[in-house]
């Protein structure tokens, strides 16, 4: 009887570790960071410096917003990407200091977008990250935002 109980405990522990490993790999930020590193290297070929790198979760029913200080007269390259196994189409809206929509890249059918932006004045700008389409059976995923000048 003791052997049966020990065997059941061992099997439950093994199953628990397997499930934990699967969940951990599903939620891992590492693939998003790896892709971000590759994209940063591409951006650095024609930009001087990466001024901002951000990654976070975004969901179907909740858009992500970031407020970022940009300097007037500088040319910025903005790269936004969604993790490859969950996000199919991603969009970006940039709002100026008066909360007016300045630039929008929506309905582009892409998982990675790159835009160039030159603010008129130094101020805080709001970036709204919108996932337009997730992989079936997902309603959330990680994105990466790279800003370079």
């Amino acid at each position: 009887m003791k052997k049966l109980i020990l065997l059941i405990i061992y099997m439950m522990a093994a199953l628990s570790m397997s499930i934990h490993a699967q969940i951990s790999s599903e939620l891992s930020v590492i693939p998003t960071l790896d892709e971000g590193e590759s994209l940063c290297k591409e951006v650095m070929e024609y930009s001087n410096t990466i001024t901002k790198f951000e990654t976070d979760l975004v969901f179907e029913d909740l858009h992500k917003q970031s407020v970022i200080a940009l300097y007037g007269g500088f040319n910025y390259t903005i790269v936004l990407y969604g993790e490859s196994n969950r996000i199919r189409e991603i969009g970006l809206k940039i709002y100026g200091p008066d909360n007016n929509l300045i630039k929008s890249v929506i309905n582009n059918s892409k998982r990675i977008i790159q835009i160039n932006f030159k603010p008129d004045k130094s101020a805080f700008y709001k970036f709204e990250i919108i996932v337009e389409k997730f992989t079936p059976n997902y309603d959330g995923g990680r994105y990466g935002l790279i800003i370079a000048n």
Side-chain angles (χ1 to χ4, degrees):
M1 183 69 165
K2 283 184 180 180
K3 287 183 181 181
L4 180 60
I5 292 173
L6 287 174
L7 179 63
I8 290 171
I9 291 172
Y10 174 76
M11 290 174 57
M12 289 175 57
L15 179 62
S16 175
M17 286 189 289
S18 173
I19 290 170
H20 177 70
Q22 182 180 0
I23 290 171
S24 294
S25 68
E26 281 273 324
L27 299 176
S28 175
V29 71
I30 300 300
T32 308
L33 292 175
D34 288 345
E35 185 171 11
E37 179 184 22
S38 173
L39 290 169
C40 282
K41 287 178 182 176
E42 288 179 32
V43 168
M44 290 299 293
E45 290 179 12
Y46 53 85
S47 294
N48 290 329
T49 187
I50 303 292
T51 57
K52 173 91 172 168
F53 179 82
E54 170 183 300
T55 183
D56 203 351
L57 293 168
V58 63
F59 297 94
E60 189 173 51
D61 57 349
L62 182 65
H63 301 167
K64 178 69 180 177
Q65 296 181 357
S66 280
V67 177
I68 301 165
L70 300 177
Y71 297 98
F74 283 82
N75 290 311
Y76 290 90
T77 299
I78 300 162
V79 178
L80 176 65
Y81 65 97
E83 68 181 316
S84 61
N85 63 331
R86 293 183 180 222
I87 295 176
R88 292 290 167 242
E89 297 176 17
I90 198 161
L92 177 68
K93 291 182 179 180
I94 302 173
Y95 296 88
D98 300 325
N99 209 29
N100 53 323
L101 182 63
I102 295 175
K103 197 155 192 132
S104 178
V105 180
I106 302 292
N107 299 323
N108 62 10
S109 300
K110 294 183 182 176
R111 187 183 64 79
I112 301 172
I113 57 176
Q114 178 176 322
I115 59 174
N116 295 312
F117 178 61
K118 185 176 183 177
D120 292 336
K121 62 181 177 179
S122 299
F124 287 98
Y125 291 81
K126 182 172 71 174
F127 288 63
E128 183 178 14
I129 293 95
I130 303 162
V131 176
E132 301 176 63
K133 186 177 180 183
F134 287 95
T135 302
N137 300 321
Y138 287 105
D139 63 356
R142 290 195 181 278
Y143 73 89
L145 176 65
I146 301 165
I147 300 176
N149 68 346

